[in-house]
Amino acid sequence: MESLTIQVNVLVSSGYVLLHSVEMSFGKRSVSLVLPDLPVLCGIWVGCDAPSVQLEPARDAVIRPALPAPPAVPAAPEFQVELIDKKVAPEMAPLLRRVREGLQARQRPERIPHGVNGTYFLKDKSGSKIAIFKPTDEEFCGSDGSDASDDSSSFGLLPGETAVREAAAYRVAREHPNPAFHLVPPTGLVRITAPRATFVPAEPNATEPVVKTGSLQQFVQAEGDSEEFGPSAFPVDDVHKIGVLDLQILNCDRNSENVLVQENDDGSLALVPIDHGFSMPAGLSLGAGRFEWMNYPASRKPFSAATPAHIESIPVERVLKALADDLHVRPECLVGVRVSHAWLQRAAAAG
């Protein structure tokens, strides 16, 4: 099996650790990318107009909060579903309305028993599953300690950031002129206000309101995940699209359960990528990251003409601005996103 190898070369200068170049190889093929020296440890990246780089010492850096502070909890219990990232309102508004109607109809969130973090199915007023909700306070080492785990520490993520990454993966796709290319279901950051009993079945009479912030993703009906199907039947273009997305966001956890498989009316298959919480790590370390699609026969097929054209037209600066301004992704994580985009475009151009 061919493996992906990444070598990062750094320089030390005036107290800064500078990212100098990145070399990536896949089997017998390799691509080298020499960059303007970007500070990745002792300093903070604040902008880059090649060939010059502006540096700012870490001691003077202003660290943004992971998310804006939630509003005060209302005195009386009521159900509210508020979208934090307003840029995705056009596609998310109908889903939020149906989620609110389901909560008002006392359709209790259904906790999914597996997985590292707390995850819930949310339902409409008829009881049908319509969304996946991942609250930040039930992430690894979350404030309620429900599923405390340090599995994500190797990815350089902090408690509360995996929900942000779910929304960020959708924003990366959405910023492109052809947002449907990446196949990611509509996703946004939300705040849900509800009586405590809504999320704590053990306290059915708890009426005090609580606010939960997290990612909300449209539920996708599928035949199963990729492990339940023979990968030789997977569409080549779908596999390539998922691979491009994972390289854009440095996804560290593309396992077989994170690729859903749908069956079309004509019997052909379609792939849907989900679970992007372990992406955009701090720096360039992928930790124990894995790309399940590297095992698919389609990953060794040549690109269609549309894929290199899509990669070339990625609006990198607009993507970075959206992640920083709207989702408050940390600067040290954006360095990796910038490098991954540059490498992806260089590799696609090299064939």
Side-chain angles (χ1 to χ4, degrees), residues 79-307:
F79 296 97
Q80 296 180 358
V81 184
E82 176 193 0
L83 186 63
I84 296 173
D85 181 7
K86 307 299 185 183
K87 299 292 179 59
V88 297
E91 56 267 49
M92 291 295 294
L95 180 61
L96 266 63
R97 175 183 53 79
R98 295 177 65 199
V99 166
R100 185 183 303 110
E101 292 174 348
L103 293 172
Q104 291 171 339
R106 298 304 191 271
Q107 293 291 349
R108 187 185 298 276
E110 179 183 334
R111 198 175 195 281
I112 301 175
H114 55 80
V116 174
N117 302 325
T119 305
Y120 297 84
F121 290 123
L122 300 188
K123 305 172 184 179
D124 64 11
K125 59 186 179 183
S126 69
S128 299
K129 297 174 183 175
I130 57 171
I132 304 292
F133 179 56
K134 299 183 177 182
T136 58
D137 66 341
E138 296 187 37
E139 292 185 7
F140 60 97
C141 300
S143 60
D144 75 345
S146 59
D147 270 318
S149 166
D150 60 0
D151 288 351
S152 297
S153 61
S154 62
F155 304 127
L157 298 178
L158 303 176
E161 287 190 329
T162 62
V164 175
R165 296 305 190 269
E166 294 283 1
Y170 182 66
R171 279 304 298 272
V172 167
R174 192 181 187 277
E175 290 306 311
H176 195 277
N178 179 20
F181 179 90
H182 283 313
L183 313 175
V184 182
T187 311
L189 280 177
V190 301
R191 292 191 190 98
I192 296 180
T193 303
R196 178 175 174 80
T198 304
F199 289 96
V200 187
E203 302 179 23
N205 298 319
T207 58
E208 67 274 17
V210 296
V211 176
K212 279 187 172 285
T213 300
S215 64
L216 187 75
Q217 184 173 86
Q218 180 178 296
F219 175 72
V220 174
Q221 190 68 48
E223 304 302 319
D225 60 50
S226 64
E227 192 172 31
E228 302 172 55
F229 292 81
S232 59
F234 294 164
V236 173
D237 280 350
D238 284 9
V239 173
H240 289 173
K241 290 176 180 180
I242 294 174
V244 169
L245 172 67
D246 286 349
L247 293 175
Q248 278 188 262
I249 65 177
L250 291 178
N251 187 6
C252 301
D253 190 32
R254 179 64 71 201
N255 60 60
S256 59
E257 295 180 351
N258 294 344
V259 178
L260 300 182
V261 181
Q262 297 176 312
E263 186 171 351
N264 299 317
D265 292 339
D266 61 1
S268 63
L269 302 180
L271 304 183
V272 181
I274 61 169
D275 287 350
H276 302 106
F278 292 165
S279 60
M280 303 184 196
L284 288 171
S285 172
L286 296 182
R290 49 187 167 170
F291 298 129
E292 177 67 21
W293 43 263
M294 291 178 67
N295 299 320
Y296 300 163
S299 69
R300 292 179 284 279
K301 300 288 186 181
F303 282 157
S304 66
T307 301

